[in-house]
Amino acid sequence: MTRGDLFSPACPTRRLLDRIGSKWTSMAVKVLAEAAPGEVRFADLRRRIPGISQKMLSVTLQSLVHDGLVARRVEPAVPVRVHYRLTELGLSLEVPLAALREWAEAHMAEIDEASAGR
Amino acid sequence: MTRGDLFSPACPTRRLLDRIGSKWTSMAVKVLAEAAPGEVRFADLRRRIPGISQKMLSVTLQSLVHDGLVARRVEPAVPVRVHYRLTELGLSLEVPLAALREWAEAHMAEIDEASAGR
DNA sequence: TTCACCAGGTAACCAATGGTAACCGCAGAG
DNA sequence: CTCTGCGGTTACCATTGGTTACCTGGTGAA
């Protein structure tokens, strides 16, 4: 359907997953949630998310800020410091997300087993 | 990293989201969960997931079966009928997923508002 | 006979995602 | 005077994900 597609206004879940399901978002949210209600600086986030590049961290945070899940605070210090923290909305998302995380930690081994099995 | 990349063995959440976060998986799981513990046939799924193509439903179901979240049963009838249902693992995933769905239904409007705002 | 249905498979294409590398200005350390 | 760290941005590429379109092969309906 290349056309207008008025469908799929439905399922907000998919739209949510489109936002938080991208490669690095869940890890960023996790790190920010662990630090909540404190803030984390850009470079700290980078260190705590192994393998992420500056660009990807940047765009990931931008989208989270854009969606109102993360707040960005610029400290006008000498080399400018930028602090990130979860908003209230972000913190509320943390609840179901933590449940999903627990499930993942408990059951991903079974998925791996099934995937490897055949 | 086109190379081996030994990093990111961590965060099972991201690996989970890599699997269930793709465009159609969440909707397929939802439909199967609504029908659980009953089964749903291919064409029924196709009708209940507006906009999905045959191919995408096919590959989506394949990956779910591959990951052990969905079971596939072939009924050797005249034009062969294929039935899908959530496995126990899939059903257990439904719990945190339902929580995420509830969050999405309750709060996506706020995200939309924030996104539209700027 | 021709059509549509069933459950897919295949091929080709296109857009979006993700990744690498380089660059920016500014500061303090050496 | 050069190097590093800070918080990005930009340009460029490769890979992936998703899409349309067409194929199969057997069946019952028109």
Side-chain angles (χ1 to χ4, degrees):
Chain A
M1 306 262 169
T2 324
R3 307 168 313 130
D5 64 15
L6 353 173
F7 59 59
S8 84
C11 201
T13 308
R14 185 161 91 59
R15 304 202 301 119
L16 175 62
L17 288 174
D18 279 351
R19 290 159 188 265
I20 65 162
S22 61
K23 185 161 186 181
W24 302 104
T25 21
S26 62
M27 304 193 71
V29 170
K30 185 187 174 188
V31 169
L32 288 168
E34 282 168 353
E39 297 176 315
V40 188
R41 294 182 48 191
F42 187 88
D44 285 338
L45 278 163
R46 191 159 141 69
R47 281 182 217 108
R48 288 170 187 231
I49 305 176
I52 197 170
S53 67
Q54 285 185 339
K55 175 202 164 186
M56 286 315 295
L57 180 55
S58 171
V59 306
T60 299
L61 289 170
Q62 276 173 23
S63 78
L64 286 171
V65 168
H66 180 258
D67 291 343
L69 295 170
V70 165
R72 180 188 141 119
R73 182 174 67 85
V74 179
E75 185 185 345
V78 215
V80 56
R81 295 176 190 180
V82 185
H83 305 258
Y84 294 91
R85 64 174 174 84
L86 288 184
T87 61
E88 278 193 29
L89 191 60
L91 278 170
S92 76
L93 175 60
E94 238 302 285
V95 179
L97 215 51
L100 203 67
R101 228 178 262 134
E102 281 177 32
W103 189 94
E105 280 159 19
H107 297 285
M108 273 308 286
E110 300 176 45
I111 287 191
D112 289 339
E113 208 175 327
S115 301
R118 45 211 67 263
Chain B
M1 300 268 172
T2 324
R3 308 167 313 130
D5 63 13
L6 351 176
F7 61 59
S8 84
C11 201
T13 308
R14 185 161 92 58
R15 304 201 301 120
L16 175 63
L17 288 174
D18 279 351
R19 291 161 187 265
I20 64 162
S22 60
K23 185 162 187 182
W24 301 105
T25 21
S26 62
M27 302 192 73
V29 170
K30 184 187 175 189
V31 169
L32 288 168
E34 282 168 353
E39 298 175 315
V40 188
R41 294 182 49 190
F42 188 88
D44 285 337
L45 278 162
R46 191 157 185 235
R47 280 182 216 110
R48 288 170 187 231
I49 304 176
I52 197 170
S53 66
Q54 286 183 338
K55 178 203 165 186
M56 285 316 294
L57 180 55
S58 171
V59 305
T60 299
L61 289 171
Q62 275 172 22
S63 77
L64 286 172
V65 169
H66 179 257
D67 291 343
L69 295 170
V70 166
R72 179 188 141 117
R73 182 174 68 87
V74 179
E75 185 185 346
V78 214
V80 57
R81 295 177 190 178
V82 185
H83 304 259
Y84 294 91
R85 63 175 174 83
L86 288 184
T87 61
E88 279 194 29
L89 191 61
L91 278 171
S92 75
L93 174 60
E94 238 303 285
V95 179
L97 216 51
L100 203 67
R101 229 177 262 135
E102 280 178 33
W103 189 95
E105 279 158 20
H107 297 285
M108 274 309 286
E110 299 175 47
I111 287 191
D112 289 338
E113 206 175 328
S115 302
R118 47 211 65 261

